[in-house]
Amino acid sequence: MTPETTFVPGHILVAPILIPLVAGALMLFYDDRHRQIKLGIGLAALAALFLVSIELIVRVKGAAEDNGTLVGTYLMGDWPVPIGIVLVLDRLSAMMVMLSTLLAIPSLIYAAAGWQGKGQHYHSMFQFLLAGVNGAFLTGDLFNLFVFFEVMLAASYGLMLHGSGVDRIKQGIHYIGINLAASLLFLLGAGLVYGTTGTLNMADISRVVPGLDGAQRQLFHAAAAFLGIAFLTKAAIWPLCFWLPPTYAAASPPAAASFAIMTKVGLYVILRLSTLIFGEDAGASAGFGGPALILGGIATIAYGTFGVLGAQGVATKGGHMALISSGTVLTATGIAVIGGGQQILTGALYYLIGSTIAVGAYFLLAETVARDEKEHSDDDDDGREPEPDYIADRWAPMMGTVEDEAAPAIGRTGSWTAIGISFAVLAVIIAGLPPFPGFIGKFAMLSGAIRDNAQVTGMIPAVIWAYAGVLIVSGFAVLIAMMRIGIRRFWASETPAPRILALEIVPVVLILAMIALQTVKSGAVLSYTEDTASALLTPSVYRDAVLSAPVVGPHEGMEQ
Amino acid sequence: MELILALAIGVMVGSGVWLILRPRTFQVIIGLCLLAYGVNMFIFSMGRLYVGAAPIMPRGGFVDPTAYADPLPQALVLTAIVISFATTALFLVVMIAARGATGTDHVDGKERDQ
């Protein structure tokens, strides 16, 4: 037996996957009528996840004194590293697990205001989505990443279709179709990576890559490109992003809010793999894909900018805001990969936290803001849908759906003014005006990039200028778009204020409080992301820690 | 053997890509199935091609690894088959729902001239 002190700390690493998985499975024992029990289990699981992610961050920061980086590993089944699957916790993955939990809590509270009753198994699918997302953040194995991607996607298909209706089914076909195709590209890429490097462990791949010979290297680059297309489809880079705005607009608001983390899973993998495998010490492969990320990222921001101004519908605009957020981080990643310095990555990670939860809050607000805008949508929860939802009605008895027509848990109505104020604050946050994280993040990125490059070469490369330009213009466009919605809905509105439940405002206020906290604690968050960025740009830290991960159990026992 | 396998993968992926670009949901799902077959065979071939070699070594002692097939791609392909089968089945259900909801089997939910 191993002593408890070295054994227990490892197990907390698998908790972010196990907690939602067990909670989601537990809920299946209850009928859909016991929705409050399911909600209770879900909230308890999220509370546990929140505590675990705090603990993970504390542990990752714990070794800040000794050289600034700690990489925790957890060997599945105690198989030694390149052979078995390994879970890896470093600063980036701890941050992302925290982010997914922070977004999940408001989204689940919002679902309790009524959306949980619009179909079956909302809570289970929500937990499975979290399990997939957290697994993707923690795994250190390429094929295991594929499996967690599929867990996440399978749950997201269900969540996307939650509530049914013609609109959702039509968009669902596009969403599922494009994701299935992207998954096949993922498989092609993973297979080719195994064929060229002989391993699927990310750290091991990055060890092997510098030594590849010419022909193998070209095949490996092809594999990386396949994988890149799969991840960038998820992260919605420009030519692969047309599915996102209509899908997120068609999904129910709490589902759309939790989908905001899914584009970030694609971003996370791009960040992780391009810095790990194509970092400075990758030999002839260093910087591979960087230019594509920069061009695609800038195009994504531009497309999102036009979309925010041009698209109709409050929620569709939100989809384009998600694109802008995605493009911003992708471009910064590309610049960092081709050697643009650590500062830009620091700012980008800071921006990522704030913009993800802000876009999530926007989706939660979008439906309430658009509610009752069309006169015939009084009895329909979805203001965008012109037709009555006859499909769900027809199928409901067949599928045993329990509709929640009665008022939800807390029937207390909230005030339209609170919605208006939250919307205005959110506009300032997403547009990136001071003092909120959007501004601080963009400022940190741009000033850092200018400082880093001016020190090295004495001049600022054109790509930084282009980046600065689109960032500022996109922020301005978001501000105009949100002001137009605000004026139409809150100042010059002719329709009486719709009935708003307090439970629909609470999650938005919660997110705004988180963003306020991030603003106040900017120094601490920025120093965390700075260490994260420096660890990402020093891939040897991650690689050495994973490859030397100690086997826990008594090894001789395995022979028998 | 390499040529036959490569041709088979190429034909399946080529047909699959053509089919998923077609406007009918039935064509799209058949296309996705063909693509999945092509991809699965591709993964399988990434472990190199062996004839009559077992993937699992007998217990005890060192044996010549060149006499055995690489077991990992076989495990990967099994996972990939299960996952793509399940998601394709789910896609099929959504397609049937879309057919009932929109009255057409066009992927956009409406005919082009509507």
Side-chain angles (χ1 to χ4, degrees):
Chain A
M1 279 305 290
T2 27
E4 194 121 55
T5 42
T6 59
F7 202 59
V8 173
H11 281 301
I12 198 171
L13 234 165
V14 78
I17 304 168
L18 282 186
I19 292 172
L21 207 58
V22 170
L26 205 59
M27 289 168 185
L28 294 176
F29 288 109
Y30 292 97
D31 192 51
D32 256 351
R33 282 177 195 80
H34 301 119
R35 212 165 273 128
Q36 300 309 329
I37 301 178
K38 292 186 174 208
L39 178 67
I41 299 175
L43 286 174
L46 285 187
L49 261 182
F50 182 62
L51 294 178
V52 167
S53 45
I54 289 180
E55 175 65 17
L56 290 182
I57 284 196
V58 167
R59 280 182 195 204
V60 166
K61 277 171 73 178
E65 297 82 40
D66 46 279
N67 227 358
T69 38
L70 173 84
V71 179
T73 51
Y74 182 83
L75 303 175
M76 291 294 208
D78 209 21
W79 287 91
V81 154
I83 295 173
I85 290 170
V86 60
L87 297 184
V88 184
L89 177 84
D90 70 341
R91 287 174 164 267
L92 181 63
S93 36
M95 183 183 110
M96 297 307 286
V97 168
M98 183 59 144
L99 188 59
S100 79
T101 314
L102 286 183
L103 192 61
I105 294 170
S107 161
L108 191 65
I109 297 175
Y110 189 95
W115 279 100
Q116 56 172 348
K118 297 283 175 192
Q120 291 173 308
H121 299 305
Y122 180 84
H123 289 294
S124 290
M125 288 188 295
F126 187 81
Q127 297 294 331
F128 293 144
L129 180 82
L130 277 180
V133 167
N134 286 342
F137 288 148
L138 286 172
T139 185
D141 183 277
L142 203 55
F143 200 80
N144 194 228
L145 180 70
F146 168 75
V147 174
F148 278 123
F149 251 67
E150 289 302 315
V151 171
M152 172 183 93
L153 288 175
S156 82
Y157 302 152
L159 284 179
M160 203 264 134
L161 295 166
H162 181 79
S164 196
V166 178
D167 212 20
R168 291 201 184 97
I169 295 178
K170 273 202 284 198
Q171 290 307 327
I173 287 212
H174 297 175
Y175 176 67
I176 299 175
I178 196 157
N179 276 307
L180 287 183
S183 297
L184 292 174
L185 285 175
F186 192 160
L187 278 176
L188 272 182
L192 206 45
V193 163
Y194 182 74
T196 50
T197 63
T199 177
L200 285 167
N201 184 293
M202 295 179 194
D204 208 27
I205 294 170
S206 98
R207 181 183 62 82
V208 172
V209 163
L212 288 177
D213 62 30
Q216 296 283 53
R217 183 178 303 280
Q218 286 184 354
L219 271 178
F220 181 75
H221 284 179
F226 275 128
L227 290 175
I229 290 175
F231 302 137
L232 289 173
T233 307
K234 208 78 230 81
I237 201 171
W238 165 60
L240 305 170
C241 66
F242 304 117
W243 59 272
L244 189 143
T247 303
Y248 282 28
S252 58
S258 38
F259 284 6
I261 194 73
M262 285 209 318
T263 55
K264 303 305 183 281
V265 176
L267 274 182
Y268 160 83
V269 180
I270 290 284
L271 249 176
R272 162 73 73 227
L273 289 183
S274 52
T275 52
L276 182 66
I277 297 176
F278 301 121
E280 277 174 2
D281 51 357
S285 293
F288 177 81
L293 284 181
I294 296 173
L295 285 179
I298 290 181
T300 313
I301 304 176
Y303 178 78
T305 306
F306 287 120
V308 152
L309 289 175
Q312 298 299 309
V314 182
T316 316
K317 285 184 194 294
H320 289 95
M321 289 174 200
L323 289 183
I324 294 177
S325 150
S326 208
T328 306
V329 181
L330 280 174
T331 317
T333 310
I335 294 176
V337 167
I338 60 164
Q342 170 191 332
Q343 299 286 335
I344 191 165
L345 206 52
T346 306
L349 290 171
Y350 181 88
Y351 172 85
L352 174 72
I353 304 173
S355 77
T356 306
I357 48 179
V359 169
Y362 183 88
F363 281 116
L364 294 183
L365 262 182
E367 194 268 329
T368 37
V369 168
R371 188 176 298 171
D372 288 2
E373 201 168 13
K374 299 187 187 95
E375 56 274 76
H376 54 256
S377 57
D378 277 351
D379 52 346
D380 196 334
D381 269 289
D382 196 341
R384 290 169 296 94
E385 261 185 46
E387 296 168 42
D389 202 358
Y390 62 92
I391 304 293
D393 293 344
R394 200 173 55 196
W395 284 9
M398 196 166 79
M399 294 166 66
T401 312
V402 186
E403 277 288 333
D404 219 8
E405 292 301 340
I410 302 172
R412 188 186 299 265
T413 50
S415 91
W416 186 235
T417 321
I419 294 279
I421 294 173
S422 312
F423 192 79
V425 175
L426 204 59
V428 173
I429 293 171
I430 299 182
L433 293 183
F436 290 108
F439 171 76
I440 300 175
K442 286 180 186 176
F443 184 79
M445 270 189 277
L446 292 179
S447 76
I450 289 170
R451 198 169 346 117
D452 274 357
N453 286 288
Q455 270 174 6
V456 178
T457 58
M459 55 184 289
I460 299 151
V463 62
I464 306 275
W465 284 118
Y467 186 41
V470 289
L471 267 192
I472 291 165
V473 172
S474 72
F476 187 57
V478 168
L479 193 64
I480 292 178
M482 289 189 73
M483 263 170 56
R484 277 170 54 191
I485 300 173
I487 289 172
R488 198 180 72 228
R489 284 303 290 154
F490 298 104
W491 281 358
S493 175
E494 286 168 7
T495 45
R499 182 167 165 272
I500 307 286
L501 298 172
L503 260 185
E504 291 170 327
I505 303 181
V506 168
V508 177
V509 173
L510 195 62
I511 289 184
L512 292 181
M514 288 175 198
I515 292 174
L517 190 68
Q518 195 198 351
T519 314
V520 174
K521 288 280 178 194
S522 277
V525 179
L526 268 174
S527 76
Y528 183 86
T529 58
E530 187 172 6
D531 290 343
T532 311
S534 95
L536 279 178
L537 294 177
T538 327
S540 56
V541 174
Y542 180 96
R543 185 167 56 227
D544 297 344
V546 174
L547 289 179
S548 63
V551 173
V552 181
H555 222 297
E556 53 282 1
M558 280 164 55
E559 304 289 322
Q560 273 97 57
Chain B
M1 185 164 64
E2 280 83 357
L3 183 69
I4 294 173
L5 191 77
L7 281 176
I9 294 173
V11 167
M12 279 198 285
V13 171
S15 329
V17 168
W18 189 75
L19 278 173
I20 60 169
L21 298 175
R22 301 293 300 160
R24 303 287 151 200
T25 50
F26 180 72
Q27 293 168 317
V28 171
I29 200 153
I30 296 295
L32 278 170
C33 287
L34 283 177
L35 269 178
Y37 293 150
V39 168
N40 288 339
M41 283 179 64
F42 179 81
I43 298 175
F44 197 72
S45 69
M46 278 298 110
R48 310 295 183 265
L49 299 175
Y50 296 88
V51 176
I56 298 173
M57 296 183 187
R59 170 189 289 259
F62 180 78
V63 286
D64 180 16
T66 56
Y68 292 88
D70 188 346
L72 192 77
Q74 307 192 4
L76 297 186
V77 93
L78 190 63
T79 317
I81 289 171
V82 172
I83 290 179
S84 56
F85 175 73
T87 45
T88 309
L90 186 131
F91 196 26
L92 191 62
V93 173
V94 177
M95 282 176 168
I96 294 170
R99 174 69 181 80
T102 62
T104 166
D105 64 347
H106 195 282
V107 286
D108 287 335
K110 60 175 193 291
E111 295 298 329
R112 188 178 283 181
D113 51 0
Q114 267 179 2

